[in-house]
Amino acid sequence: MRSSLVLLTALVALAAYYIYIPLPSSMSDPWKLMLLDATFRGAQQLSNLIHYLGLSHHLIALNFIIISFGKKSAVSSAQVKVTDTAFDGVEVRVFEGLPKPEEPLRRSVIYIHGGGWALASAKIKYYDELCMTMAEDLNAVIVSIEYRLVPQVYFPEQIHDVVRATKYFLQPEVLKQYSVDPGRIGISGDSAGGNLAAVLVQQFSQDANLRNKLKLQALIYPVLQALDFNTPSYQQNVNTPILPRYVMAKYWVDYFKGDYDFVQAMVVNNHTALDVYEAAAFRAHLNWTSLLPSSITKNYKPVVQTTGNARIIKELPQLLDARSSPLIADQEVLQNLPKTYILTCEHDVLRDDGIMYTKRLVNAGVDVTLDHFEDGFHGCMIFTSWPTNFSVGIRTRYSYIKWLDQNL
């Protein structure tokens, strides 16, 4: 009996040690976040073991775990019709809300899910529930794109998928089929999905035939650049769940099918050191000392290496491509963008990406709403139902849908 009690005590202590991480008191539901983070870390470590044993790629294994616990079939409700189909060969899940009696044509949002270009799905419950809610609350048609993921494909194939699906949907005959008002269509996405949405809008803005097809863009804690992993938010949230800095840098390397040996050099900005001449032209677009307010910069200092690793940019020139890092796009591109909503969270390495993009868009004359949540963390908006229901998740979702309702 005594030995069993000792063993139980030891197991509880080990579990507590694994789960507990110090979190700011201002963060929403910190103990619940610790449990969520521990679960995700456990899944990551299991997938890494599977990769090490040669059984599967670690991202395929991790996504299998994620989808196994959350895949949801296309089930309609009384208010929303849900169907799985394909637009120009790209899988999509379409959510059709009921039209308003006085508006026979409905609004529409094209939604792109997050997951580091490698994880999640339009068909897991988190995104299914989000899009169901959007369709019902907005009386809208929501098109959730099931783009291909790393390691099945790499940059820029994810972009090609969302562009193909969006162009197909924007055809007059398709909009007529879904009873969508062609003047009231927006695009949105979270995290890596926000990156893909921002890239698509920039591409459309440079095409005279597509420039005015999208009324707005709504970007939820988007990832927008890979040149500086030492912005104040990266420094402040270096180990903050559920997206530590090192993990974000690995997602970038995976997206480009790069060498993991580059990750450690990238997190200290060796890939954009002063002697890496290819990066010099983009530094002005990422000068956070001028793009961020003093309330954000505080006492943080820029990390600029004198000598770096030029091999990284030579092997991964995609790092300097605006199709991967829309924050570095030229001003001439930004000035043609539609009305924009950007949601940022204080406890998120990507916070400053969104705030800097807001500043650059404002400087370009774009109408922008920055919606910042002091107790928010990366990914929080999809966590609104038990057991992963967070107060800030509910509030961010409400604020996001309210803005769409008022502006679309």
Side-chain angles (χ1 to χ4, degrees):
M1 181 67 177
R2 180 176 294 179
S3 60
S4 297
L5 184 61
V6 170
L7 178 60
L8 178 61
T9 302
L11 290 174
V12 170
L14 283 171
Y17 178 78
Y18 185 80
I19 292 169
Y20 178 78
I21 50 175
L23 294 176
S25 59
S26 60
M27 186 174 278
S28 177
D29 304 299
W31 278 101
K32 192 177 291 186
L33 181 57
M34 288 183 207
L35 288 168
L36 176 64
D37 179 63
T39 302
F40 191 58
R41 277 188 286 120
Q44 287 178 310
Q45 289 160 359
L46 176 58
S47 64
N48 287 338
L49 175 61
I50 291 170
H51 186 101
Y52 176 77
L53 294 173
L55 302 176
S56 177
H57 191 284
H58 69 98
L59 290 171
I60 293 176
L62 181 56
N63 209 30
F64 176 81
I65 296 170
I66 292 170
I67 292 174
S68 295
F69 282 96
K71 190 169 185 178
K72 190 171 181 181
S73 300
V75 178
S76 301
S77 69
Q79 292 75 33
V80 180
K81 178 184 176 183
V82 184
T83 54
D84 287 335
T85 185
F87 288 174
D88 193 17
V90 179
E91 292 182 35
V92 296
R93 176 164 287 185
V94 182
F95 303 78
E96 299 179 64
L98 296 174
K100 294 180 180 180
E102 70 278 12
E103 295 179 2
L105 293 181
R106 295 172 289 192
R107 300 178 283 188
S108 182
V109 178
I110 299 158
Y111 196 86
I112 309 171
H113 71 80
W117 308 283
L119 303 173
S121 165
K123 300 175 183 179
I124 61 172
K125 74 162 193 162
Y126 296 110
Y127 289 110
D128 186 271
E129 290 174 357
L130 170 62
C131 293
M132 283 282 284
T133 302
M134 291 167 64
E136 182 174 350
D137 291 356
L138 298 171
N139 301 98
V141 175
I142 311 301
V143 176
S144 188
I145 302 178
E146 183 80 336
Y147 57 94
R148 292 170 297 165
L149 303 173
V150 173
Q152 179 187 1
V153 296
Y154 299 90
F155 172 88
E157 292 305 315
Q158 286 82 350
I159 300 169
H160 294 164
D161 282 359
V162 299
V163 168
R164 282 209 323 275
T166 302
K167 284 183 176 180
Y168 179 92
F169 180 63
L170 292 175
Q171 295 177 101
E173 61 272 23
V174 179
L175 296 180
K176 183 178 179 181
Q177 175 189 341
Y178 288 101
S179 300
V180 168
D181 184 339
R184 303 178 72 187
I185 302 170
I187 191 160
S188 183
D190 64 298
S191 192
N195 169 280
L196 295 171
V199 170
L200 180 145
V201 171
Q202 287 187 6
Q203 289 192 9
F204 278 27
S205 74
Q206 298 172 73
D207 186 329
N209 295 319
L210 297 169
R211 183 170 298 160
N212 299 314
K213 295 288 187 180
L214 297 172
K215 185 176 182 181
L216 56 79
Q217 62 175 336
L219 313 177
I220 313 302
Y221 29 77
V223 50
L224 299 171
Q225 59 87 24
L227 279 72
D228 189 350
F229 289 96
N230 288 275
T231 61
S233 61
Y234 266 112
Q235 294 185 50
Q236 173 184 297
N237 300 297
V238 60
N239 292 313
T240 299
I242 54 176
L243 187 66
R245 177 173 63 179
Y246 187 82
V247 172
M248 187 64 246
K250 280 188 69 177
Y251 281 139
W252 277 110
V253 171
D254 281 320
Y255 190 30
F256 300 144
K257 201 178 181 181
D259 189 332
Y260 284 142
D261 290 343
F262 292 157
V263 174
Q264 196 56 52
M266 288 168 60
V267 298
V268 294
N269 288 350
N270 276 348
H271 61 308
T272 53
L274 295 177
D275 65 340
V276 181
Y277 302 112
E278 297 91 338
F282 301 100
R283 291 196 186 97
H285 295 338
L286 283 171
N287 181 9
W288 55 258
T289 60
S290 62
L291 290 172
L292 297 175
S294 58
S295 60
I296 294 291
T297 58
K298 298 177 183 176
N299 294 319
Y300 293 106
K301 304 297 182 186
V303 175
V304 181
Q305 306 292 351
T306 304
T307 57
N309 186 346
R311 177 179 158 230
I312 299 175
I313 294 297
K314 284 184 170 57
E315 294 194 17
L316 301 178
Q318 307 96 313
L319 286 163
L320 303 180
D321 191 329
R323 293 178 302 163
S324 70
S325 297
L327 181 53
I328 66 175
D330 291 334
Q331 188 87 342
E332 293 74 17
V333 174
L334 301 185
Q335 65 188 13
N336 292 316
L337 300 187
K339 181 180 287 191
T340 300
Y341 171 90
I342 298 177
L343 188 150
T344 56
C345 293
E346 180 66 20
H347 307 289
D348 180 8
V349 292
L350 302 179
R351 178 197 67 190
D352 296 345
D353 283 24
I355 296 175
M356 287 191 288
Y357 200 44
T358 298
K359 180 65 172 177
R360 290 208 64 213
L361 291 178
V362 168
N363 291 344
V366 178
D367 183 355
V368 187
T369 297
L370 176 63
D371 199 4
H372 183 68
F373 286 80
E374 288 290 338
D375 61 341
F377 58 91
H378 190 79
C380 63
M381 197 182 78
I382 65 171
F383 299 122
T384 60
S385 60
W386 190 89
T388 55
N389 52 317
F390 289 81
S391 167
V392 71
I394 295 167
R395 284 181 281 113
T396 51
R397 180 172 298 189
Y398 173 81
S399 187
Y400 163 65
I401 293 177
K402 180 181 178 182
W403 185 88
L404 288 173
D405 191 34
Q406 294 172 343
N407 292 276
L408 186 58

